[in-house]
Amino acid sequence: MLPNMWRSLVRWGVRLGYVAVLGVLFALSSYLAFSLFVRRGVTPVPTVVGSTLQEARQVAADHGLEIRHRPEEDRFTEDIPPGRILDQSPGAGSLAKRGGRIEVVLSRGRERVAVPDLVGQPLPAARVTLAAAGLDVGGIRQIFSPRPEGTVATQDPLPGEEIDRSVAVDLYLVAEDRRETFLMPDLIDRPIDSVRPFLERSGFRLGTVKYEPYEGIREPVVLRQYPLAGHPLRRGEVISLVVAAVEESGGGREMS
């Protein structure tokens, strides 16, 4: 009796195993069929970052996708050359339905700014103007120019040029024209009648001439001078004198 019972149990075990295998195969085939049904018309999104629009459209077309570009969303960047794709959505590797779109943003390259006009500005003001534009001062050189001393005579790059923020602006400042600088001569005790033509010939301007009585002097000679002797003097500067007044000059007087 026991052998028959064992044989029956074995037969039922075989039958149950067979049914289990059939169930697993059915479940697996159902999953695969459902997955293929759901995924039908779906494709992985390719990488288009770094490509041109033309290149990206070709790659996207191979996957049944389209490229959509919105120029207003393009951004400045130092990493990707201008005109190439900076960002994409959906990202590379994600799944998308065929016929769908990949939104792309292009690089505008490095941000460029217009160089401000610095001509005529003193150096401190030029520095502030450049800093406000996001630019730095480069080399500072001196040149001779009829403009006021210490102001910007010219610049490189020129005003209005568009440059990267990394480019510094060189400034050329007006230097003191030492060729037109003289030492104030000593005019003390020299007659005013000889001093006047001397200054005129030298290109200096004679300003106020004040007469003061001075005992013991019988001719109008220079008593004091401004600037003092030896002081640096540039052509066109005004010179003031105090001259001894003598009897024939009619006493103390002042004239310009």
Side-chain angles (χ1 to χ4, degrees):
M1 180 175 180
L2 287 176
N4 292 332
M5 182 181 297
W6 282 109
R7 282 195 293 271
S8 297
L9 290 175
V10 169
R11 283 196 297 270
W12 276 105
V14 171
R15 291 173 181 173
L16 289 175
Y18 179 73
V19 171
V21 170
L22 289 178
V24 170
L25 291 174
F26 177 78
L28 182 60
S29 62
S30 298
Y31 172 78
L32 292 175
F34 178 78
S35 177
L36 290 175
F37 174 78
V38 172
R39 290 174 176 266
R40 185 171 55 188
V42 175
T43 181
V45 177
T47 300
V48 295
V49 172
S51 305
T52 64
L53 274 178
Q54 183 177 358
E55 294 169 344
R57 288 191 174 104
Q58 182 61 51
V59 172
D62 293 341
H63 289 73
L65 301 172
E66 297 179 355
I67 295 294
R68 184 180 182 185
H69 170 225
R70 293 182 177 178
E72 66 275 9
E73 296 183 1
D74 293 346
R75 302 192 299 269
F76 292 104
T77 178
E78 296 185 1
D79 300 327
I80 297 180
R84 292 188 174 270
I85 295 176
L86 171 64
D87 195 11
Q88 69 176 80
S89 178
S94 57
L95 296 178
K97 290 185 178 181
R98 291 185 181 275
R101 293 175 175 176
I102 304 176
E103 306 278 347
V104 297
V105 176
L106 296 187
S107 167
R108 294 182 179 177
R110 292 185 176 182
E111 185 175 5
R112 299 176 71 84
V113 295
V115 179
D117 188 356
L118 307 172
V119 175
Q121 295 186 18
L123 180 58
R127 290 185 184 275
V128 172
T129 302
L130 286 176
L135 298 172
D136 294 324
V137 175
I140 299 177
R141 301 172 179 83
Q142 292 189 329
I143 61 175
F144 293 111
S145 170
R147 294 181 179 274
E149 180 183 338
T151 61
V152 178
T154 186
Q155 62 188 83
D156 183 25
L158 296 174
E161 290 189 30
E162 291 191 351
I163 61 174
D164 293 340
R165 291 187 183 274
S166 59
V167 177
V169 179
D170 294 333
L171 302 179
Y172 295 83
L173 303 182
V174 180
E176 178 184 356
D177 191 353
R178 297 187 179 276
R179 295 170 299 179
E180 294 294 321
T181 302
F182 305 87
L183 294 180
M184 178 68 181
D186 187 357
L187 305 177
I188 304 301
D189 293 332
R190 295 183 60 177
I192 186 61
D193 292 339
S194 64
V195 168
R196 286 183 187 275
F198 166 75
L199 295 179
E200 292 175 357
R201 290 193 305 270
S202 301
F204 302 116
R205 290 196 302 151
L206 183 59
T208 301
V209 179
K210 183 178 181 180
Y211 288 83
E212 290 184 357
Y214 197 90
E215 186 177 355
I217 294 182
R218 296 186 175 275
E219 60 178 333
V221 296
V222 176
L223 299 177
R224 295 189 297 277
Q225 64 182 66
Y226 303 97
L228 301 177
H231 188 277
L233 190 68
R234 301 188 68 176
R235 195 182 301 277
E237 289 191 29
V238 177
I239 298 173
S240 300
L241 301 176
V242 176
V243 179
V246 295
E247 293 181 358
E248 56 269 31
S249 66
R253 59 190 175 95
E254 182 176 332
M255 59 184 296
S256 297

